[in-house]
Amino acid sequence: ENSSAENPIKVEFWHSFGHNISKNLDPMIDSFEAEMAEQGIYIDVRCTSVGGGYDGLRARVNLGTKSNSIPTMILGYPDHFADYIDSGILLPLDSYVNATDANIGLNGDYAWDDFIESYRKENLMDVDGDGKDNIAGIPFNKSTEVMYYNASAVDPILKEKGYYDQTTGKWLNPTWEQLWTVSKELKTKVESSEGLTWTDLGDKTKKVDYPVFIDSSANFFITTARQWSSNAEEASKVYTTKDSAGGKVTFKNQTTVTAQNYFKEKADAGLWNLPDKVNQSYGSYLMANGTSFISIGSTAGVNNNASHKYELKCTTVPQKENGVSSVIQQGTNCAILSKNSNNLTRLSAWLLIRYLTSTENTVNFSKNTGYLPVRESAKNSAEFTSFLANENDPFDGNAAKCLNAAYAQLNSFYTDVAFSGSSIVRDEVDKMIQSVYCYNKSIIEAMDTAYTALKDFNINCEDQLA
């Protein structure tokens, strides 16, 4: 009774997807609006892709909080949510999730406990400040990192070195040491008189800066810090920690310094680097043009790594031998902001979240994007299982390849503790790693700079090397 076709309920929804992902989200929103209209409820969802990635999105919300120009519904990470909780603008979702009305609550086909456990866990945060966990967000698009490789160039080396698994035709459970062996061999072949054949069409490469690129500086630092830890307990505290007093930065320690010295030596030997070193944002671009052959990045970037010129394969992120097996769990959750919204717009946003994260929709979104479905029922569905089994499909094969690699490392997923300011810590770590690999700062010097910057934000920093 509160809406009509002429006067619909308007829901502002901000995300930061580029065109490739948006084109899979928009049709779901259209069908949601159509289904609601059939029930006589008119909702107009206004989707805005905010530039600058998720960090740009967070910055714009933090800015808009002062002027009230913020959306009803948003996608974000737990550390962004911690900032929104601090500003008092995040709405706890418990009353919606637990609603007894079958058309509202997460029950039956929409059940809350059907969401994958680690995805649910990262959304449990104390929103209303009573020391108890609330449901801060609902998992929407989840990804992890995998290692992509140009099999036309790399497979001959894997076979030569004994890393090629005959049964699957893949490089299974690569270690960092194996990666350097392959990288050295790629360099040797490229620099040989005949060069390296990198496409099925016979194209040759005679010069490369680095055979291997790793996309995310912050993920690389945190993941390797965990892998280099002596046990799971240390791994959970090697980057940041949180107690009743709040969050604390702990990454200036012997474990991280040892790991970074190891990787710096390999980068100096020309075996790998960050894309920024050669003025690129992602390794996928360098792979696609034959100036590198291996790229570690998000599952959501699978289509950017593919090319009609070579065969793309995917495997798990390299691990340290006898280290703590670790790979990041990432991707965003849907949240509702309480400022600049009312009961009608909040309920409408909630119904949209419920719709987008249904079993059927999370399967479809996943198949088209390389994101992981967020529900057990979706992951185990006949449709999704047969999709994963079809790596040779000309249309869906690449997404299936990268999702299979992602699932092979499911037991190694980690997330970092979220606290007010933890997103700033990540930004500083990003800059810190760039300064080491792109501008030759020493790791200790870079860590000192990062700690100084973080203290200016009043973030508690513990120097374990002091």
Side-chain angles (χ1 to χ4, degrees):
E1 68 257 36
N2 291 306
S3 67
S4 62
E6 297 73 44
N7 190 19
I9 302 162
K10 292 183 180 65
V11 174
E12 293 282 347
F13 171 24
W14 289 3
H15 60 75
S16 64
F17 293 133
H19 172 71
N20 277 346
I21 308 290
S22 292
K23 69 179 186 201
N24 293 292
L25 176 63
D26 296 339
M28 294 202 293
I29 288 173
D30 293 341
S31 61
F32 166 75
E33 291 174 341
E35 278 192 27
M36 295 311 288
E38 279 172 19
Q39 298 170 43
I41 302 165
Y42 297 92
I43 299 174
D44 175 19
V45 180
R46 299 184 172 186
C47 249
T48 305
S49 178
V50 175
Y54 292 119
D55 292 332
L57 181 61
R58 180 194 83 217
R60 190 164 154 195
V61 172
N62 288 339
L63 204 65
T65 302
K66 298 176 184 67
S67 59
N68 240 4
S69 51
I70 56 172
T72 307
M73 177 175 158
I74 193 156
L75 292 181
Y77 285 96
D79 55 354
H80 301 179
F81 292 175
D83 289 350
Y84 305 156
I85 290 169
D86 228 38
S87 316
I89 61 168
L90 194 78
L91 188 76
L93 299 176
D94 308 66
S95 60
Y96 293 109
V97 170
N98 301 321
T100 47
D101 182 331
N103 296 314
I104 296 174
L106 287 186
N107 39 43
D109 293 343
Y110 295 93
W112 172 236
D113 58 12
D114 179 40
F115 282 94
I116 287 164
E117 189 182 12
S118 58
Y119 301 164
R120 271 182 291 150
K121 271 188 180 157
E122 73 165 31
N123 280 290
L124 298 179
M125 303 172 82
D126 178 8
V127 180
D128 45 26
D130 63 359
K132 293 193 191 72
D133 277 340
N134 300 99
I135 298 169
I138 303 294
F140 176 63
N141 61 309
K142 291 296 166 191
S143 62
T144 182
E145 291 182 322
V146 292
M147 184 158 77
Y148 299 103
Y149 58 101
N150 171 341
S152 309
V154 174
D155 273 356
I157 298 171
L158 298 179
K159 288 173 182 168
E160 203 179 293
K161 302 290 176 191
Y163 303 158
Y164 184 89
D165 181 75
Q166 294 293 347
T167 323
T168 58
K170 290 183 201 172
W171 184 0
L172 294 182
N173 307 318
T175 63
W176 290 109
E177 287 299 324
Q178 286 180 0
L179 181 60
W180 312 136
T181 302
V182 171
S183 185
K184 270 187 201 132
E185 195 60 34
L186 285 163
K187 274 180 86 72
T188 305
K189 290 195 175 190
V190 165
E191 287 156 9
S192 68
S193 55
E194 65 271 17
L196 170 70
T197 304
W198 67 282
T199 74
D200 298 337
L201 315 169
D203 296 316
K204 289 187 186 301
T205 290
K206 294 207 168 177
K207 182 188 174 298
V208 297
D209 293 314
Y210 302 91
V212 179
F213 283 93
I214 298 178
D215 279 350
S216 168
S217 311
N219 290 355
F220 155 69
F221 177 76
I222 303 162
T223 301
T224 55
R226 283 175 165 262
Q227 290 186 8
W228 257 251
S229 298
S230 51
N231 54 50
E233 172 69 10
E234 185 200 334
S236 68
K237 296 176 177 165
V238 75
Y239 167 59
T240 53
T241 60
K242 184 183 173 188
D243 56 25
S244 54
K248 182 166 64 175
V249 171
T250 52
F251 66 72
K252 193 179 172 199
N253 59 59
Q254 197 49 60
T255 304
T256 52
V257 171
T258 304
Q260 288 307 312
N261 286 337
Y262 169 85
F263 282 95
K264 184 71 170 85
E265 187 193 313
K266 307 301 177 192
D268 291 346
L271 300 182
W272 82 279
N273 218 307
L274 305 168
D276 288 85
K277 179 75 173 178
V278 292
N279 301 315
Q280 290 297 329
S281 302
Y282 299 100
S284 51
Y285 175 79
L286 300 151
M287 241 175 84
N289 71 12
T291 53
S292 86
F293 313 98
I294 299 174
S295 171
I296 296 173
S298 168
T299 52
V302 58
N303 293 324
N304 303 327
N305 285 281
S307 165
H308 63 283
K309 291 185 173 180
Y310 53 77
E311 185 186 1
L312 180 74
K313 288 188 183 175
C314 301
T315 185
T316 51
V317 167
Q319 298 291 335
K320 177 179 187 279
E321 279 181 64
N322 305 318
V324 178
S325 185
S326 309
V327 61
I328 196 162
Q329 167 179 305
Q330 45 182 26
T332 62
N333 309 291
C334 305
I336 296 177
L337 301 180
S338 55
K339 201 174 182 182
N340 203 18
S341 63
N342 59 42
N343 286 341
L344 270 183
T345 56
R346 290 173 197 171
L347 179 59
S348 303
W350 169 254
L351 293 173
L352 174 59
I353 292 173
R354 191 173 176 269
Y355 181 83
L356 293 177
T357 57
S358 71
T359 302
E360 182 188 354
N361 284 328
T362 191
V363 165
N364 288 335
F365 190 68
S366 175
K367 282 167 54 177
N368 294 321
T369 59
Y371 282 111
L372 304 163
V374 292
R375 290 180 171 277
E376 291 285 355
S377 57
K379 182 176 156 242
N380 301 328
S381 67
E383 185 186 353
F384 192 67
T385 316
S386 66
F387 165 77
L388 289 183
N390 202 358
E391 290 194 359
N392 299 322
D393 183 286
F395 301 106
D396 295 338
N398 287 329
K401 282 174 195 172
C402 90
L403 291 169
N404 280 320
Y407 280 128
Q409 53 194 17
L410 199 59
N411 296 334
S412 306
F413 280 6
Y414 71 84
T415 53
D416 296 305
V417 292
F419 53 85
S420 179
S422 55
S423 53
I424 296 170
V425 180
R426 217 187 126 81
D427 294 347
E428 287 302 325
V429 163
D430 229 28
K431 287 183 213 159
M432 173 179 90
I433 290 301
Q434 300 279 347
S435 73
V436 172
Y437 292 91
C438 304
Y439 305 107
N440 277 324
K441 244 190 182 182
S442 80
I443 185 64
I444 300 287
E445 195 190 345
M447 283 179 171
D448 287 340
T449 306
Y451 266 39
T452 304
L454 291 169
K455 284 171 186 165
D456 287 345
F457 285 107
N458 292 323
I459 291 170
N460 184 5
C461 298
E462 181 182 294
D463 181 346
Q464 297 178 6
L465 297 175

